[in-house]
Amino acid sequence: MEKTFIMLKPDAVQRGLVGQIIARFEAKGCKLVGMKLMSVDQALAEQHYAEHKGKSFFEPTVQYIMSSPVVAMVWGGKNVVALARELMGATNPANANPGSIRGSFGMDISRNVIHGSDSVASAEREIALYFRPEELCDYRKAGEEWLSE
Ligand code: GTP
Ligand code: MG
């Protein structure tokens, strides 16, 4: 089963949006494989955003995800990396479809509520950054047979 790494960023936690956002992934049919509330330190934040090092928004974005606890999650499902990006909406909430998570809950690119891996390779890298293998649960979820053949 494909897996993706999702982070509910500090603004989502502080604004009390955690439950509503998780509910969207559950309602879609995604399978929760791992989850924890945690603080991100400088080393982890810089590794997370390594692809953006040198860009103007690198430093503020690193500070942003260190500014308060985040909810780190692994979700599984059919084509879940791309599916999660659809649920999240465009990077800038101002341009995101209003039905998406960023479109529903955000106003500005610097506080865009949620992170999701942008490819299967990124998902593998990010899951390994945030979770030890034993923190991920391999289980059969009730109702899986009603989601696809
Ligand atoms: P993530 O899921 O968070 O990785 O977002 P993304 O894949 O949609 O966008 P990208 O990887 O290009 O950018 C990473 C993060 O940097 C974004 O989610 C924003 O938080 C931040 N960011 C990107 N571009 C800008 C920008 O132009 N200004 C500011 N302030 N932040 C930006
Ligand atoms: Mg990205």
Side-chain angles (χ1 to χ4, degrees):
M1 186 186 46
E2 187 171 300
K3 294 188 185 72
T4 193
F5 175 71
I6 298 292
M7 178 199 283
L8 306 185
K9 294 180 178 180
D11 46 334
V13 175
Q14 288 288 350
R15 294 174 56 212
L17 300 172
V18 169
Q20 292 181 73
I21 297 172
I22 289 175
R24 291 191 176 202
F25 283 86
E26 287 185 319
K28 187 69 182 174
C30 301
K31 180 177 180 177
L32 187 59
V33 174
M35 177 163 74
K36 57 187 169 187
L37 180 71
M38 60 179 285
S39 296
V40 177
D41 66 18
Q42 180 106 25
L44 180 56
E46 289 188 1
Q47 278 181 284
H48 179 116
Y49 284 122
E51 65 172 309
H52 298 302
K53 197 157 184 151
K55 296 182 189 167
S56 59
F57 61 84
F58 177 76
E59 271 303 325
T61 302
V62 162
Q63 292 304 321
Y64 164 39
I65 67 160
M66 290 168 55
S67 61
S68 191
V70 302
V71 179
M73 300 184 286
V74 177
W75 287 91
K78 192 175 180 180
N79 203 21
V80 73
V81 171
L83 174 65
R85 300 279 293 188
E86 287 295 315
L87 292 177
M88 287 161 51
T91 306
N92 188 344
N95 306 327
N97 183 310
S100 67
I101 292 166
R102 286 167 170 163
S104 296
F105 300 126
M107 298 183 82
D108 190 280
I109 194 166
S110 63
R111 298 287 181 270
N112 63 354
V113 179
I114 187 168
H115 162 83
S117 308
D118 62 11
S119 66
V120 171
S122 297
E124 285 172 7
R125 187 185 82 88
E126 292 166 5
I127 290 168
L129 269 181
Y130 284 87
F131 288 91
R132 298 191 303 274
E134 64 269 25
E135 291 179 304
L136 303 180
C137 297
D138 183 13
Y139 65 103
R140 176 144 187 88
K141 186 164 175 272
E144 276 178 1
E145 68 276 22
W146 297 105
L147 288 169
S148 64
E149 282 199 52

